[in-house]
Amino acid sequence: MRVPKDLAFSWEAKLVRFLGVSPAMAAPIVSALVAGTYFVPGYAFGLLPIQLELRDSSIPLDPYSWAAIVTSLLAGFTVFALPYAQVRHLGDITSLAEITPSLDRAGLRDLYVRSAAGDQTGRLVASSLGWCFGLLIPVFSVPGAWSLMSGQPSSWDTDLPPSAYWAAGWFLIIVPFLIASLSKASYQMVTGARRLLTETVARLEVGPLDADKLRPLVNAGLHTSFIWMIGAAIGVLFVLDTNIEATVILVFMACIAILGGLAAITPAMAGRRVIRRSKDTALAEVRAVIAHLHLNALDAASETKVRQADDPRLAQMGALLAYEDRLEKAQETPISAPTIAQFGLYLAIPVSSWLGGAFVERMVDAALG
């Protein structure tokens, strides 16, 4: 699953194309490269491992090194998230060609590319806000970062070895850049999806009983949800080391998880509007026909003195009334039981990450006696 050239307008997508691999393959490559910027010079110049007085932890690394590994995984996720979402969404949206008579697959593709690009000013603002928030994470989570920022030691930074300040400097450089990129990706996914849904929903033509034809919209939401749940699962790894102050990090990861939930619901609600619009139109037409048949039957009965029970139009009305009842009870959302189960599995990804980490921690404790 390669990134098409017309979707490579972000640096993440350009990097994936430069590597010549899929977004999923680019993630471990970038993670390894980012981890190398920490561990290669750290061990080459004798800065690692950082010697600290620590609480008991089964992680066989100092907190800085463990946090660097998780941060490197987030770097890979950053490169993976936006390109993967765009490639997946492109396939989902073009699958709607069957129910968009005014646009063929090529037209839907052009519409998606324009919507996904977003506006440059919005991307810049989102990146800037993300960078500012990203700077707060190491300042409040990494001992030594505040001293480097302010030039004045704090009570939290006392008795730190010089190598800890080098590690804190690495986080001050890497983390704001990663959060800026994630914020921009979030902005592009949310605003791009809103613009796309606004333009696409108006063109969709689907029957009131054909909610299953809107499955591509649900798939688009699930793909976005999957991406953000993966990010949340990576962030949860920070808490496996009890020496890491992860409060700010977990708040950010909780926001990502919430974003994932909203991403899954929004396209489905847009699909509900389409079905509701079609359903209201069909009900109005059926009820108009029923009313017309009923009036004709009454007029015929009064003129010919024929009993209404013998009028064939009443039989037609019976069929129409049954159809009206079916329309009223028809499902309005393109969400099925398998969809709910799939979303539940995605929600379990961060929880599984934490439980899996706790299990490994117990295994290490048992192995070490």
Side-chain angles (χ1 to χ4, degrees):
M1 185 178 62
R2 304 297 177 89
V3 178
K5 187 177 181 179
D6 55 356
L7 282 180
F9 39 74
S10 66
W11 72 263
E12 297 93 341
K14 291 177 181 176
L15 177 58
V16 172
R17 282 185 57 83
F18 174 77
L19 293 174
V21 296
S22 66
M25 291 299 297
I29 295 174
V30 172
S31 294
L33 291 174
V34 174
T37 64
Y38 179 88
F39 288 100
V40 171
Y43 280 105
F45 294 101
L47 299 171
L48 297 176
I50 299 173
Q51 302 298 324
L52 300 168
E53 294 184 7
L54 303 174
R55 290 172 285 183
D56 291 337
S57 175
S58 59
I59 303 297
L61 293 170
D62 64 84
Y64 289 92
S65 296
W66 176 248
I69 289 176
V70 180
T71 301
S72 300
L73 292 176
L74 281 175
F77 169 76
T78 298
V79 172
F80 159 81
L82 186 59
Y84 177 86
Q86 290 172 340
V87 172
R88 282 293 192 181
H89 291 167
L90 179 61
D92 295 329
I93 295 304
T94 53
S95 297
L96 293 170
E98 179 187 352
I99 53 175
T100 51
S102 61
L103 288 175
D104 57 9
R105 294 181 72 91
L108 284 170
R109 180 189 181 89
D110 292 340
L111 179 63
Y112 176 76
V113 171
R114 290 197 307 271
S115 300
D119 63 285
Q120 187 174 0
T121 301
R123 294 199 302 268
L124 180 61
V125 170
S127 296
S128 300
L129 292 175
W131 190 90
C132 293
F133 183 78
L135 192 62
L136 295 177
I137 293 179
V139 166
F140 288 101
S141 303
V142 180
W146 172 252
S147 296
L148 288 177
M149 284 283 295
S150 64
Q152 299 177 353
S154 67
S155 58
W156 192 25
D157 298 344
T158 56
D159 301 325
L160 288 177
S163 54
Y165 293 99
W166 168 81
W170 185 86
F171 287 105
L172 283 171
I173 294 172
I174 298 296
V175 173
F177 180 73
L178 294 184
I179 303 303
S181 180
L182 287 174
S183 298
K184 182 198 67 176
S186 303
Y187 170 80
Q188 285 190 249
M189 287 189 199
V190 172
T191 58
R194 185 184 299 119
R195 283 192 299 271
L196 182 66
L197 289 173
T198 299
E199 296 190 43
T200 304
V201 165
R203 293 178 167 88
L204 293 177
E205 295 183 13
V206 61
L209 303 177
D210 296 328
D212 58 310
K213 291 185 178 181
L214 293 173
R215 175 71 187 181
L217 282 179
V218 179
N219 289 340
L222 288 174
H223 288 145
T224 307
S225 175
F226 170 74
I227 291 168
W228 293 120
M229 293 306 168
I230 290 292
I234 294 173
V236 168
L237 296 176
F238 280 107
V239 304
L240 297 182
D241 192 327
T242 56
N243 294 284
I244 295 177
E245 174 53 51
T247 303
V248 179
I249 299 169
L250 289 179
V251 169
F252 183 73
M253 292 302 120
C255 292
I256 287 181
I258 293 171
L259 184 64
L262 293 175
I265 295 172
T266 302
M269 292 300 100
R272 183 182 183 276
R273 291 197 299 272
V274 174
I275 294 295
R276 187 71 215 182
R277 182 181 65 201
S278 177
K279 185 175 176 179
D280 289 343
T281 300
L283 281 171
E285 293 173 351
V286 169
R287 286 165 181 166
V289 173
I290 291 173
H292 180 70
L293 286 173
H294 188 216
L295 287 175
N296 285 347
L298 289 176
D299 291 341
S302 62
E303 292 175 3
T304 63
K305 308 301 182 182
V306 176
R307 291 187 304 120
Q308 291 187 25
D310 297 329
D311 195 322
R313 281 170 288 203
L314 293 182
Q316 297 177 13
M317 286 178 56
L320 288 171
L321 287 170
Y323 181 58
E324 178 190 26
D325 182 65
R326 185 182 176 193
L327 285 175
E328 289 179 336
K329 295 177 180 178
Q331 180 181 351
E332 294 185 1
T333 57
I335 298 177
S336 59
T339 301
I340 296 173
Q342 187 175 354
F343 181 61
L345 289 175
Y346 290 168
L347 287 175
I349 291 175
V351 179
S352 299
S353 174
W354 178 75
L355 292 176
F359 175 76
V360 171
E361 184 177 3
R362 287 179 177 271
M363 293 293 290
V364 172
D365 286 342
L368 296 178

